[in-house]
Amino acid sequence: MNFVLHGHAVSGGITIGYAHLVASARMEVGHYEVPEEDVESEVKRFDAALRRAREDLEGLKAQIPAGAPAEFAAFLDLHRMILEDTSLSEAPRELIRSRRCNAEWALVQQMEKLSERFDEIDDAYLRERKADIQQAVERVLKALMGAHALPEAALTEEERLIVVAHDLSPADMILFKRHHFGGFVTDLGGVTSHTAIVARSLGIPAIVGLHHAFQAISEGELLIVDGQRGVLIVNPDPLVLAEYRLRQSQIGEERQRLKLLKSTAAATRDGTPVELYANIELPEDMPEVLEAGAQGVGLFRTEFLFLGRADLPGEEEQFEAYRRVAEAMEGRPVVLRTLDLGADKAINDSDEVHTKPNPAMGLRAIRFCLAEPQMFLTQLRAILRASHYGRVRMLLPMVAHVHEIEQTLALIRQAKQQLDERGQPYDRGVEVGGMIEIPAAALALPIFMRRLNFLSIGTNDLIQYTLAIDRTDDAVAHLYDPLHPAVLSLVAGTIQTATRGGMPVAVCGEMAGDLQLTRLLLGIGLRNFSMHPSQLLPIKDRILRTNLGEVQTLAQRVLRAADPVKTRELLAQLNA
Ligand code: PEP
Ligand code: MG
């Protein structure tokens, strides 16, 4: 049966491929009946995943750095013991054989049984070990997912796998960076959730907020993901398929054409230069940054080094990651944002600090770092040390109070002193900037400008906090509106005040990579854009085709427009 689902477009392009259902133990896993003849191979698939999860745990234990807390090894041993328990190692095999459950479903049923037994325990400490059971099981589920994925070499254009999930965390997405999927679709999520941002950074078509995709789609069904319109077509008929194949090849040709712009300087038609930077999540993203010809890294979301793991990365590990990025840019600027953990970026599923009732407004980003000064100092030292190997700048997320900046500057001085005592080199003049992503900071800009060297507008959070919409909640995703007069006024006001004060200002939120908004942002005075590498060449192309003199007047009219229909009309004129 063919049908169509509508969601929120996250990342453009079209992909045609086969559904691959992905579940984590926290949500409903796909459950289906395995055909009689495949039962034994399903048992084998389960055994292989269990073996892989145990090997992963042993590998992790072998890599424990000297000086790591003893609990870490104990925790790995506990997870290994959990996986050896017959209720998880033997019972799922029975379920596969007797009830023909797929491996994931058999495992999760057993996990739930075991968890219930823990619920009945009086001892609070032991009761909490339920989270360990879940984590150990998730390791096997992830191995099952990996075992299902086809090796890349075996994939032809038609055989690409499309991940279909109820919900994915940013940490899940980081794991997927290492696989080569053709696209992503999820039931939940907003367009600027970090899950969507990582999907966009992969440069592959993605849709979020589809509501029933995970329920309605079966493993292996043929899908078309139209990431531009947010449309998912399940089991398309041959005519529709042919039409999408044509559009897909047109998009491919356009991408080839844009590649020619890699070394062209970004400037408007009337000669105003514009700086184009890249956003990254991990050092592994650097080849794409260089491929896109970025002038530097405008936002390294360093918290992604911390996601989906049981331990915190130490100073050496962080230093190596930051140095890799600094060196790869060969003297061009690299903006390292200090940790922005919290909200939708929890370290792992048992991370209680970040699962408070309202995490987006809770102990997130700079607030969390200042509450954990030792962890923050570790990162500050690692960043400072990397500054010796390139042109590194430091960017502070979520600033709302002047005292947050002052406390951070004091910690930076302390970190420098510690490095001096160790005799380790760093750039003594490292610049410190602030993200303008809370309306309070945009409205009281001068007091922040006095204490900082540069600004970067985080429009994703600025929109979330200005319009009071949770960026991860698909129920309010339709209210996400970069063109809302309040948002435009805060963005334009920040750019103007900073520019008048001689302070560099960039936009590093998703607005910077939105082709519909390039001319508007140029018109209101933005000269520094930071975005995913995959968006950089299309944006450069748009800038090269823009006459600044013409768009400035229209942009001012957009700012003054009193109703949304007029705003959209003017935007259409700007983009004509
Ligand atoms: C933003 O808020 O716009 C931003 C760039 O930071 P993040 O998306 O990581 O919150
Ligand atoms: Mg932000």
Side-chain angles (χ1 to χ4, degrees):
M1 187 186 64
N2 62 13
F3 57 95
V4 174
L5 296 172
H6 293 264
H8 308 295
V10 162
S11 171
I14 288 163
T15 188
I16 301 170
Y18 295 100
H20 176 49
L21 301 192
V22 168
S24 94
R26 279 161 293 135
M27 55 193 177
E28 209 180 335
V29 292
H31 47 112
Y32 51 90
E33 204 176 270
V34 179
E36 185 68 59
E37 63 274 21
D38 292 341
V39 162
E40 281 316 306
S41 60
E42 192 67 5
V43 171
K44 277 198 190 120
R45 193 165 81 83
F46 170 74
D47 287 346
L50 194 63
R51 212 170 31 246
R52 167 86 195 279
R54 284 180 187 152
E55 282 164 9
D56 282 355
L57 286 169
E58 271 154 32
L60 279 173
K61 199 172 167 198
Q63 287 168 24
I64 297 178
E71 296 83 43
F72 187 43
F75 147 88
L76 292 174
D77 284 337
L78 174 65
H79 283 207
R80 201 174 34 77
M81 275 160 55
I82 291 172
L83 293 184
E84 272 160 17
D85 190 292
T86 50
S87 52
L88 290 181
S89 59
E90 273 305 317
R93 308 172 90 230
E94 289 307 310
L95 280 176
I96 299 172
R97 288 204 173 103
S98 60
R99 294 211 232 138
R100 299 190 1 218
C101 296
N102 61 309
E104 290 88 346
W105 181 230
L107 181 63
V108 168
Q109 284 180 70
Q110 282 307 115
M111 177 192 81
E112 279 163 2
K113 254 196 185 160
L114 200 59
S115 300
E116 276 165 22
R117 293 219 304 260
F118 272 72
D119 278 337
E120 288 156 14
I121 298 177
D122 281 339
D123 184 302
Y125 174 81
L126 283 177
R127 217 172 33 240
E128 277 167 23
R129 304 283 60 79
K130 216 172 86 172
D132 288 297
I133 298 174
Q134 202 174 58
Q135 282 169 14
V137 165
E138 277 183 8
R139 200 174 279 285
V140 185
L141 285 174
K142 278 176 186 156
L144 278 168
M145 184 194 82
H148 233 23
L150 298 176
E152 193 194 0
L155 297 181
T156 69
E157 199 57 32
E158 286 183 2
E159 287 170 331
R160 308 193 89 179
L161 294 177
I162 294 165
V163 171
V164 180
H166 183 61
D167 193 14
L168 293 169
S169 72
D172 292 330
M173 293 300 291
I174 287 297
L175 192 81
F176 294 151
K177 273 198 174 207
R178 294 175 192 132
H179 292 263
H180 294 269
F181 293 116
F184 287 87
V185 299
T186 62
D187 290 342
L188 302 183
V191 284
T192 63
S193 64
H194 284 92
T195 300
I197 286 174
V198 182
R200 208 169 285 132
S201 80
L202 297 174
I204 54 176
I207 307 174
V208 296
L210 284 160
H211 299 284
H212 307 297
F214 190 72
Q215 285 274 319
I217 296 170
S218 308
E219 182 78 20
E221 278 187 303
L222 185 62
L223 305 177
I224 299 176
V225 181
D226 180 344
Q228 208 163 7
R229 298 183 186 149
V231 175
L232 179 72
I233 304 166
V234 187
N235 295 322
D237 61 41
L239 261 172
V240 174
L241 201 56
E243 191 191 312
Y244 269 97
R245 287 230 162 90
L246 181 68
R247 275 189 55 205
Q248 203 179 20
S249 72
Q250 286 163 344
I251 293 172
E253 281 165 21
E254 174 67 2
R255 285 207 177 128
Q256 286 308 111
R257 182 186 74 78
L258 290 176
K259 277 191 184 162
L260 302 173
L261 297 179
K262 180 184 162 185
S263 359
T264 308
T268 60
R269 263 195 1 227
D270 34 0
T272 299
V274 179
E275 292 174 63
L276 297 182
Y277 288 82
N279 293 354
I280 63 165
E281 278 92 40
L282 290 172
E284 286 92 308
D285 298 334
M286 287 313 287
E288 281 142 84
V289 174
L290 299 171
E291 192 61 29
Q295 279 160 273
V297 170
L299 175 68
F300 179 174
R301 291 183 162 99
T302 60
E303 58 278 4
F304 278 87
L305 293 172
F306 289 64
L307 300 188
R309 51 191 287 169
D311 58 336
L312 295 178
E315 182 178 326
E316 285 309 309
E317 185 182 338
Q318 289 188 55
F319 162 61
E320 286 304 334
Y322 306 152
R323 183 173 78 163
R324 253 174 83 188
V325 174
E327 284 184 340
M329 283 324 290
E330 297 178 329
R332 283 164 286 173
V334 170
V335 177
L336 295 176
R337 177 172 73 183
T338 58
L339 273 180
D340 185 359
L341 282 171
D344 59 338
K345 287 175 289 193
I347 296 183
N348 52 50
D349 303 329
S350 58
D351 175 1
E352 279 178 23
V353 179
H354 309 302
T355 47
K356 294 281 187 210
N358 205 340
M361 299 212 195
L363 200 60
R364 179 192 160 184
I366 194 79
R367 304 167 179 183
F368 174 59
C369 287
L370 291 171
E372 298 281 347
Q374 288 313 320
M375 185 200 68
F376 198 16
L377 272 171
T378 303
Q379 180 175 47
L380 295 175
R381 285 194 303 270
I383 294 177
L384 285 167
R385 286 173 60 192
S387 71
H388 182 64
Y389 299 88
R391 216 168 122 210
V392 166
R393 292 172 180 160
M394 224 184 272
L395 179 62
L396 314 179
M398 291 267 298
V399 291
H401 299 271
V402 161
H403 60 75
E404 290 163 338
I405 298 174
E406 281 167 352
Q407 282 179 58
T408 305
L409 293 177
L411 283 170
I412 294 172
R413 283 195 294 276
Q414 193 181 337
K416 285 181 175 175
Q417 201 181 339
Q418 290 169 337
L419 295 183
D420 286 338
E421 281 160 16
R422 293 188 200 161
Q424 281 172 323
Y426 59 88
D427 171 5
R428 291 182 179 271
V430 168
E431 293 187 345
V432 180
M435 287 199 70
I436 304 302
E437 49 186 351
I438 296 185
L443 292 168
L445 204 62
I447 58 169
F448 294 96
M449 284 168 57
R450 259 177 247 136
R451 291 161 173 90
L452 295 166
N453 303 113
F454 66 97
L455 304 175
S456 193
I457 308 177
T459 52
N460 308 333
D461 279 314
L462 189 61
I463 295 170
Q464 156 165 268
Y465 296 124
T466 304
L467 302 181
I469 47 155
D470 182 339
R471 59 195 269 201
T472 65
D473 184 353
D474 69 296
V476 289
H478 62 288
L479 300 174
Y480 168 87
D481 182 12
L483 293 173
H484 190 291
V487 173
L488 288 182
S489 154
L490 290 173
V491 172
T494 303
I495 295 170
Q496 277 153 21
T497 310
T499 310
R500 261 192 243 120
M503 173 156 285
V505 57
V507 168
C508 64
E510 298 298 292
M511 276 178 81
D514 185 341
L515 269 179
Q516 292 305 308
L517 304 175
T518 312
R519 287 186 172 156
L520 176 62
L521 289 170
L522 284 170
I524 60 180
L526 186 69
R527 300 291 176 266
N528 185 327
F529 295 63
S530 192
M531 68 206 81
H532 295 296
S534 62
Q535 293 158 320
L536 204 137
L537 291 174
I539 297 284
K540 190 193 276 188
D541 186 46
R542 181 61 58 101
I543 293 169
L544 292 168
R545 293 162 188 266
T546 298
N547 193 321
L548 193 58
E550 283 170 16
V551 299
Q552 272 166 335
T553 328
L554 268 172
Q556 289 311 315
R557 286 180 59 199
V558 173
L559 288 183
R560 286 194 303 269
D563 76 279
V565 177
K566 186 75 193 162
T567 307
R568 275 160 178 83
E569 251 175 53
L570 288 166
L571 191 74
Q573 276 183 46
L574 259 175
N575 291 330

